[in-house]
Amino acid sequence: MDGRRVRRAAVALAAPLVLLTSLAPAASADIETTVSWSVFTKEDSVQVRFNYHQPPDRSSPYTCVASILSAGSRSIDFNTVTYGTVEFTGVSEGTHTVSATCENSDGIQQSVGRILFHLPGPDHWHLARTQHAVID
């Protein structure tokens, strides 16, 4: 074998290792709490679905709260799962805003945003919008 073939073989063997190490997450002691939440509409009903992608760095339960000015607030406690849904029924026709907060690692409710939607919705569940938030 000549030197050229040896180099090509070494590169071919090393390439997958380099790729795998570049994809590995960096070590970090401070992992951020991240949440996605979505609003779904159906006729006069609204569902708000929460999903902690990285839950707070403390023991559960932790809480998310969704509020619609004309329909009140609903909260959900997360214990062993990291996702959940709250539902509002009998919401009046028109344009509304859902405001949401979720707990961070310090146990403090932080805003994860607002989503604008219009009712009445279709006769089946329809995704109005999804937002993502880092709250730590």
Side-chain angles (χ1 to χ4, degrees):
M1 251 182 171
D2 64 11
R4 190 175 190 176
R5 284 188 179 172
V6 171
R7 280 192 301 261
R8 277 206 275 172
V11 169
L13 291 173
L17 182 59
V18 170
L19 178 63
L20 286 175
T21 57
S22 69
L23 295 176
S28 173
D30 186 26
I31 298 174
E32 296 176 325
T33 302
T34 56
V35 177
S36 291
W37 65 289
S38 303
V39 172
F40 291 82
T41 61
K42 177 182 173 185
E43 297 170 345
D44 69 344
S45 299
V46 178
Q47 283 186 350
V48 181
R49 301 177 188 175
F50 294 99
N51 184 12
Y52 274 98
H53 297 288
Q54 181 61 49
D57 186 23
R58 63 181 180 79
S59 59
S60 58
Y62 30 91
T63 305
C64 286
V65 179
S67 301
I68 300 175
L69 188 60
S70 63
S73 295
R74 307 277 189 283
S75 64
I76 185 166
D77 292 328
F78 298 92
N79 290 299
T80 57
V81 297
T82 58
Y83 56 89
T85 301
V86 295
E87 187 168 344
F88 299 85
T89 56
V91 180
S92 63
E93 186 175 318
T95 301
H96 300 275
T97 301
V98 176
S99 301
T101 62
C102 290
E103 277 187 67
N104 63 16
S105 292
D106 297 327
I108 298 169
Q109 288 286 323
Q110 269 194 279
S111 174
V112 292
R114 294 186 170 144
I115 294 179
L116 187 70
F117 65 95
H118 186 77
L119 289 180
D123 61 353
H124 57 281
W125 287 111
H126 170 74
L127 173 64
R129 188 167 175 203
T130 297
Q131 286 193 359
H132 309 280
V134 176
I135 56 175
D136 265 345

Coordinates of all heavy atoms in Angstrom, one line a residue, residues 33-37 50-54 64 102-103 112 131-135:
T33 N -35.2 25.9 30.7 CA -36.5 25.4 30.6 C -37.2 25.8 29.4 O -37.2 27.0 29.1 CB -37.3 25.8 31.9 OG1 -36.6 25.4 33.1 CG2 -38.7 25.3 31.9
T34 N -37.7 24.9 28.6 CA -38.3 25.3 27.3 C -39.7 24.7 27.2 O -40.0 23.6 27.7 CB -37.5 24.8 26.1 OG1 -37.3 23.4 26.2 CG2 -36.2 25.5 26.0
V35 N -40.6 25.5 26.6 CA -42.0 25.1 26.5 C -42.5 25.5 25.1 O -42.2 26.5 24.6 CB -42.9 25.9 27.6 CG1 -44.4 25.6 27.4 CG2 -42.4 25.7 29.0
S36 N -43.4 24.6 24.6 CA -44.1 24.9 23.4 C -45.6 24.8 23.8 O -46.0 24.0 24.7 CB -43.9 23.8 22.3 OG -42.6 23.9 21.8
W37 N -46.4 25.7 23.2 CA -47.8 25.7 23.5 C -48.6 26.0 22.2 O -48.1 26.8 21.4 CB -48.2 26.5 24.7 CG -47.9 28.0 24.5 CD1 -46.8 28.7 24.4 CD2 -49.0 29.0 24.4 NE1 -47.0 30.0 24.3 CE2 -48.3 30.2 24.3 CE3 -50.3 29.0 24.4 CZ2 -49.0 31.4 24.1 CZ3 -51.0 30.2 24.3 CH2 -50.4 31.4 24.2
F50 N -50.0 22.4 26.2 CA -48.7 22.8 26.7 C -47.8 21.5 26.6 O -48.2 20.4 26.8 CB -48.7 23.2 28.1 CG -49.4 24.5 28.4 CD1 -50.8 24.5 28.8 CD2 -48.8 25.7 28.1 CE1 -51.4 25.7 29.0 CE2 -49.5 26.9 28.4 CZ -50.8 26.9 28.8
N51 N -46.5 21.8 26.3 CA -45.5 20.7 26.2 C -44.1 21.3 26.7 O -43.6 22.1 26.0 CB -45.4 20.2 24.8 CG -44.4 19.0 24.7 OD1 -44.0 18.4 25.8 ND2 -44.1 18.6 23.5
Y52 N -43.7 20.8 27.9 CA -42.4 21.1 28.4 C -41.4 20.3 27.6 O -41.4 19.0 27.8 CB -42.2 20.9 29.9 CG -42.7 22.0 30.8 CD1 -43.9 22.0 31.4 CD2 -41.8 23.0 31.1 CE1 -44.3 23.0 32.2 CE2 -42.2 24.0 32.0 CZ -43.4 24.0 32.5 OH -43.8 25.0 33.4
H53 N -40.5 20.9 26.8 CA -39.5 20.1 26.1 C -38.3 19.8 27.1 O -37.7 18.8 27.1 CB -38.9 20.8 24.9 CG -40.0 21.0 23.9 ND1 -40.5 19.9 23.1 CD2 -40.7 22.1 23.5 CE1 -41.4 20.4 22.3 NE2 -41.6 21.7 22.5
Q54 N -38.0 20.8 27.9 CA -37.1 20.6 29.0 C -37.7 21.2 30.3 O -37.9 22.4 30.4 CB -35.8 21.4 28.7 CG -34.7 21.3 29.7 CD -34.3 19.9 29.9 OE1 -34.0 19.2 28.9 NE2 -34.2 19.4 31.1
C64 N -48.8 25.4 34.4 CA -49.0 26.4 33.3 C -50.4 26.9 33.4 O -51.3 26.2 33.8 CB -48.8 25.8 31.9 SG -47.1 25.4 31.5
C102 N -46.0 29.8 32.3 CA -45.5 28.5 32.8 C -44.4 28.8 33.8 O -43.8 29.8 33.8 CB -45.0 27.7 31.7 SG -46.3 27.1 30.5
E103 N -44.3 27.8 34.7 CA -43.3 27.9 35.8 C -41.9 27.6 35.3 O -41.7 26.7 34.5 CB -43.6 26.9 36.9 CG -44.6 27.4 37.9 CD -44.7 26.5 39.1 OE1 -43.8 26.4 39.9 OE2 -45.8 25.9 39.2
V112 N -45.2 33.0 28.4 CA -44.7 32.3 27.3 C -45.3 32.8 26.0 O -45.1 32.3 24.9 CB -44.9 30.7 27.4 CG1 -44.1 30.2 28.5 CG2 -46.4 30.4 27.6
Q131 N -46.5 28.4 19.7 CA -45.3 29.3 20.1 C -44.4 28.5 20.9 O -44.8 27.5 21.6 CB -45.8 30.5 20.9 CG -46.5 31.5 20.0 CD -46.6 32.8 20.8 OE1 -46.3 33.0 22.0 NE2 -47.2 33.8 20.1
H132 N -43.1 28.9 20.9 CA -42.1 28.2 21.7 C -41.5 29.3 22.6 O -41.3 30.4 22.2 CB -41.0 27.6 20.8 CG -41.6 26.7 19.7 ND1 -42.0 25.4 20.0 CD2 -41.9 27.0 18.4 CE1 -42.5 24.9 18.9 NE2 -42.4 25.8 17.9
A133 N -41.1 28.9 23.8 CA -40.5 29.9 24.7 C -39.4 29.2 25.6 O -39.5 28.1 26.0 CB -41.5 30.5 25.6
V134 N -38.3 30.0 25.8 CA -37.3 29.6 26.8 C -37.6 30.5 28.0 O -37.6 31.7 27.9 CB -35.9 29.9 26.2 CG1 -34.9 29.6 27.3 CG2 -35.7 29.0 25.0
I135 N -37.8 29.9 29.2 CA -38.3 30.7 30.3 C -37.3 30.6 31.5 O -37.7 31.0 32.6 CB -39.7 30.2 30.8 CG1 -39.7 28.8 31.1 CG2 -40.7 30.6 29.7 CD1 -41.1 28.3 31.7

